[in-house]
Amino acid sequence: MDVEVGDRLKALDLSALPGGDTGAGGESDYVFVDFERTVPVVVLALLYALVVVAVARWRGLRAIVGLGLAFTVLFGFMFPALLEGGPPLWIGLVGCCLIMLVVLYFAHGFSLRTTTALLGTLIGLALTAVLALWGTDAAYLTGLGDEYSYVLATVAPEARLSGIVLCGLLVAGLGVLNDVTITQASAIWELQAANPAVSKRELFASGMRIGRDHIASTVYTIAFAYAGAALPVLMVVSLYDRSLWDTLMSGELVEEIVRILVGSIGLVLAIPITTGIAVAVAKSVAAPVSQAPASKVDA
């Protein structure tokens, strides 16, 4: 990008170093480092927070705070533990469980509905962990797919790069699992409230109709999200003189493909599991109310 007058930059002042030189006009020699981006990023962050709070109100505010706490878990626990060479599978599972406990209850409050979503998320996370453990080993995911992996291997030799890939698969699937489980739990509760006389079988069938629509939309959402994030890599790899299959199975892309597949399988399995748990809990809670005398119900 062209640098114009008025742009805010980060620069290195070489004259401050021993033996530093100055330019022809007596001014210090500077080396361009990067652009200063604080203002636009802060403006976008504030706009995001304003929109979320305006639409979702206090729940949106709690969700933003919960997101901040989730990043505290990432930077305060998971990253240091991985850099010290800890077991990636258990670090990922413990860290993701902590994040879900914080995010779900903080954003949605303490309720049976939230607990149902949490149970569905944890089961889906366990299934994702099993698939990720097998996938990273069977697909030979070494964790050396980009330049930052080589830097990490140099500055933190204790870190297990293939294990970091495994942990990354769990974290990547976490947000999608949370999305579908809380949606399914809420849908079952609303369907039960709208028709208290509905049977468990009918309630489950109605919930799964919603879940199938969610699956259809979320699966390609995951693929497009990863494709957009890896667009430069996709463009570079597409220039290689080899078949499409060899390109997809290359070290640069196979990690993203396995991440998409593992996350999608965990997502799909979490929907019927969460729906079944939600139906059982919603009907067991509603049963005493529906069988109570009319005076108590009105009260």
Side-chain angles (χ1 to χ4, degrees), residues 69-228:
L69 295 175
F71 275 99
T72 301
V73 174
L74 285 174
F75 285 92
F77 165 65
M78 295 181 69
F79 293 168
L82 289 171
L83 290 173
E84 292 176 2
L89 177 62
W90 292 109
I91 292 172
L93 285 173
V94 172
C96 290
C97 289
L98 287 174
I99 290 173
M100 281 297 94
L101 283 170
V102 170
V103 171
L104 280 175
Y105 282 123
F106 200 87
H108 302 281
F110 290 90
S111 66
L112 287 175
R113 182 185 308 195
T114 305
T115 303
T116 299
L118 177 62
L119 288 175
T121 302
L122 295 180
I123 295 174
L125 183 63
L127 295 173
T128 302
V130 173
L131 291 170
L133 185 62
W134 176 82
T136 52
D137 182 60
Y140 302 101
L141 301 185
T142 61
L144 294 173
D146 55 61
E147 58 180 300
Y148 292 106
S149 300
Y150 291 94
V151 174
L152 188 60
T154 302
V155 300
E158 298 85 3
R160 310 177 192 178
L161 295 184
S162 59
I164 293 175
V165 174
L166 169 62
C167 190
L169 293 176
L170 298 180
V171 175
L174 194 61
V176 182
L177 281 173
N178 174 38
D179 177 30
V180 298
T181 54
I182 197 68
T183 300
Q184 285 303 111
S186 296
I188 294 298
W189 249 263
E190 293 300 323
L191 290 170
Q192 170 64 29
N195 184 11
V198 66
S199 67
K200 289 184 178 181
R201 182 184 296 273
E202 293 172 339
L203 185 59
F204 181 82
S206 298
M208 282 306 300
R209 283 194 290 270
I210 298 173
R212 292 186 189 98
D213 287 337
H214 208 167
I215 289 173
S217 63
T218 308
V219 164
Y220 57 72
T221 299
I222 296 174
F224 291 154
Y226 287 138

Side-chain angles (χ1 to χ4, degrees), residues 1-12 31-41:
M1 296 180 65
D2 294 331
V3 179
E4 301 177 354
V5 176
D7 290 343
R8 297 182 61 84
L9 309 175
K10 294 181 181 179
L12 179 64
V31 175
F32 171 79
V33 176
D34 203 352
F35 289 95
E36 173 59 45
R37 305 181 177 92
T38 302
V39 173
V41 172

Side-chain angles (χ1 to χ4, degrees), residues 9-55:
L9 309 175
K10 294 181 181 179
L12 179 64
D13 186 358
L14 297 181
S15 66
L17 300 176
D21 198 3
T22 57
E27 71 279 1
S28 298
D29 284 340
Y30 293 93
V31 175
F32 171 79
V33 176
D34 203 352
F35 289 95
E36 173 59 45
R37 305 181 177 92
T38 302
V39 173
V41 172
V42 170
V43 169
L44 284 174
L46 292 175
L47 180 60
Y48 166 74
L50 179 62
V51 171
V52 170
V53 173
V55 176

